[in-house]
Amino acid sequence: MSKSKLTYLDFAILGLLHQQPNTGYGIRKIFETTALGNYSSSPGTIYPAINKLRKLNLVVQKSDTQAKKKKLFFVSSEGTQQLIAWLSMPVENEDIRKISNILILRFAYMDDLVNHGVKIRFLKSMISMMTTYLNGLKEYHATENENLKLHGRLALEHGIILFKSQLKWAKYALKEISNLN
Amino acid sequence: MSKSKLTYLDFAILGLLHQQPNTGYGIRKIFETTALGNYSSSPGTIYPAINKLRKLNLVVQKSDTQAKKKKLFFVSSEGTQQLIAWLSMPVENEDIRKISNILILRFAYMDDLVNHGVKIRFLKSMISMMTTYLNGLKEYHATENENLKLHGRLALEHGIILFKSQLKWAKYALKEISNLN
DNA sequence: CCCCCCATGTAACATGTTACATGATTGA
DNA sequence: TCAATCATGTAACATGTTACATGGGGGG
């Protein structure tokens, strides 16, 4: 039945739809505003992926009678099974290692290639943007704490912890770089 | 001159070659063993990318006279300029947000879909693998500390800090999940 | 002598993005 | 009624991966 293998993008969408039936547009908005936006939220990304899931009978579409254009998608029982199978897969070493951070790669390469000012500006930008982002996460945590399920809350806290420690690193790095002045 | 835009992969390779001239095979080994392995280290990934850089005159090839098959690549001055331009680019908000962690996504989706045992097993695997990986980083830090340039050292320390805090989170999450038992 | 690792390459494929296209709905 | 946003879609393209292919060199 399911000849074509599901990608991470497919599972990301399937998981969202399992939490809450949604339209393609709704999924796009989530990708646009949350950390899921590793993938583009553009129509060319989301709609073909949803249509693939539909063809595989992993999601079913129910047209909204109110707004005819709107298409609501629900995860089918087969889709739920696939999701469970994916979630139950063992943790691979690969998954641990493959967390790329393009900013850190850039920083690592800077050494003798850019001047002191560029390095300082880079770290200060990082600190400022991460602070803003972290505050957003914290605020969300404070207001939505009650409404979140355990796993959602823990994943959010993972993000908070991660940005906190990255901020700490950036401040430390700034000091180290400044010392060379 | 440079019509085609450079990708992250291109810059990752260019940066490595700037640090140290290398062969395609050498680059592959680095991708295979380090955190750079966000991309595949397979020949189909590395060789075409290097050839693209060569065609753009960003790297130059010098055949090793000893082993004729071996091709050593150096970054050209034009390549260095491109690298500097990339490193000097402002930090984008996108870059901050787009750090996806497939394991955390899976964890977030687990809530009511998998049973207690699967969740525990998942977190314990994560803890065990991250511990191993972190120890590798720490050992590398301890032995190579002296030989590393400042930015390389700081990037390594970034990795260490990140894994430390992720481990802390995983242990905390394990406790929270266990409490529900 | 055989196996493993060094070393390079390519063609077919999978995957996702950009840019374009269209029209409905809603609020100012 | 005008603009913005909701809402969906597709074709051409960019990008990287898988799987296949080839051969040299060194150690057991």
Side-chain angles (χ1 to χ4, degrees):
Chain A
M1 172 143 303
S2 51
K3 270 188 181 177
S4 55
K5 219 180 48 189
L6 296 183
T7 66
Y8 287 158
L9 172 62
D10 297 329
F11 282 118
I13 292 174
L14 201 57
L16 284 179
L17 290 176
H18 181 267
Q19 288 182 344
Q20 169 97 283
N22 209 337
T23 65
Y25 189 77
I27 296 289
R28 283 185 59 206
K29 289 296 131 179
I30 295 175
F31 272 70
E32 201 174 302
T33 53
T34 73
L36 272 176
N38 187 18
Y39 295 97
S40 159
S41 64
S42 66
T45 297
I46 306 299
Y47 292 112
I50 292 181
N51 287 331
K52 174 184 170 189
L53 294 175
R54 201 186 45 192
K55 272 170 201 155
L56 293 170
N57 296 315
L58 304 182
V59 303
V60 291
Q61 176 211 322
K62 292 189 186 163
S63 286
D64 193 321
T65 43
Q66 309 284 285
K68 272 183 184 159
K69 209 168 186 188
K70 226 174 186 175
K71 290 181 180 176
L72 258 182
F73 294 99
F74 297 70
V75 175
S76 69
S77 63
E78 203 186 325
T80 304
Q81 279 169 43
Q82 293 261 320
L83 197 49
I84 291 172
W86 181 60
L87 295 176
S88 305
M89 274 172 48
V91 177
E92 301 289 339
N93 251 308
E94 295 287 283
D95 300 332
I96 303 275
R97 215 174 38 112
K98 291 201 174 178
I99 305 167
S100 89
N101 187 328
I102 198 68
L103 290 177
I104 301 304
L105 182 65
R106 276 174 63 191
F107 183 78
Y109 283 162
M110 284 185 184
D111 236 318
D112 49 349
L113 278 174
V114 302
N115 63 44
H116 197 251
V118 171
K119 296 174 180 180
I120 301 287
R121 178 162 60 80
F122 183 89
L123 287 173
K124 283 190 173 169
S125 293
M126 247 184 96
I127 290 170
S128 139
M129 288 183 188
M130 283 189 170
T131 302
T132 305
Y133 191 72
L134 178 59
N135 285 338
L137 291 182
K138 278 179 175 170
E139 203 184 309
Y140 187 77
H141 185 265
T143 58
E144 295 296 313
N145 200 359
E146 314 269 294
N147 310 324
L148 291 171
K149 290 186 190 171
L150 177 56
H151 280 247
R153 198 198 85 210
L154 287 171
L156 177 57
E157 285 168 358
H158 176 270
I160 290 174
I161 284 175
L162 224 60
F163 276 95
K164 263 189 188 165
S165 60
Q166 286 204 89
L167 253 173
K168 213 169 137 188
W169 172 85
K171 284 171 184 170
Y172 158 70
L174 183 59
K175 205 181 286 176
E176 293 276 300
I177 299 283
S178 298
N179 284 344
L180 294 183
N181 175 336
Chain B
M1 172 141 302
S2 52
K3 270 188 179 178
S4 55
K5 219 181 47 191
L6 297 182
T7 66
Y8 287 158
L9 172 63
D10 296 328
F11 281 117
I13 292 174
L14 201 56
L16 283 179
L17 289 177
H18 180 266
Q19 288 182 345
Q20 169 97 285
N22 210 337
T23 65
Y25 189 79
I27 296 290
R28 284 184 58 206
K29 289 296 132 179
I30 295 176
F31 272 70
E32 203 174 303
T33 53
T34 73
L36 271 178
N38 186 20
Y39 295 96
S40 161
S41 64
S42 66
T45 297
I46 306 299
Y47 292 112
I50 292 180
N51 287 331
K52 175 184 169 190
L53 293 175
R54 201 187 45 193
K55 272 170 201 155
L56 292 170
N57 297 313
L58 304 181
V59 302
V60 290
Q61 176 211 323
K62 292 191 185 162
S63 286
D64 193 321
T65 42
Q66 308 286 285
K68 271 186 185 158
K69 209 170 187 185
K70 224 175 188 174
K71 291 181 180 176
L72 256 183
F73 294 99
F74 297 71
V75 176
S76 70
S77 63
E78 203 186 325
T80 305
Q81 278 169 43
Q82 294 260 319
L83 197 50
I84 290 173
W86 181 61
L87 295 176
S88 305
M89 274 171 49
V91 177
E92 300 289 340
N93 251 309
E94 296 287 284
D95 300 332
I96 302 274
R97 216 173 38 111
K98 292 201 172 179
I99 305 166
S100 90
N101 187 328
I102 198 67
L103 290 177
I104 301 304
L105 183 66
R106 276 174 64 190
F107 184 78
Y109 284 162
M110 285 186 183
D111 236 318
D112 48 350
L113 279 173
V114 303
N115 63 45
H116 198 249
V118 171
K119 296 175 180 180
I120 300 289
R121 179 161 59 80
F122 182 88
L123 285 172
K124 283 190 174 169
S125 292
M126 247 184 94
I127 290 169
S128 139
M129 288 184 188
M130 283 188 171
T131 302
T132 305
Y133 191 72
L134 178 58
N135 285 338
L137 291 182
K138 278 178 175 169
E139 202 185 309
Y140 187 77
H141 186 265
T143 59
E144 294 296 313
N145 199 358
E146 314 270 296
N147 310 323
L148 290 171
K149 289 187 191 172
L150 177 56
H151 281 247
R153 198 198 84 210
L154 287 171
L156 177 56
E157 285 167 358
H158 176 270
I160 291 173
I161 285 175
L162 223 62
F163 275 96
K164 265 189 188 165
S165 59
Q166 285 203 89
L167 253 175
K168 213 168 138 188
W169 172 85
K171 284 171 184 170
Y172 158 71
L174 183 58
K175 205 181 286 176
E176 293 276 299
I177 299 283
S178 299
N179 284 343
L180 295 183
N181 175 332

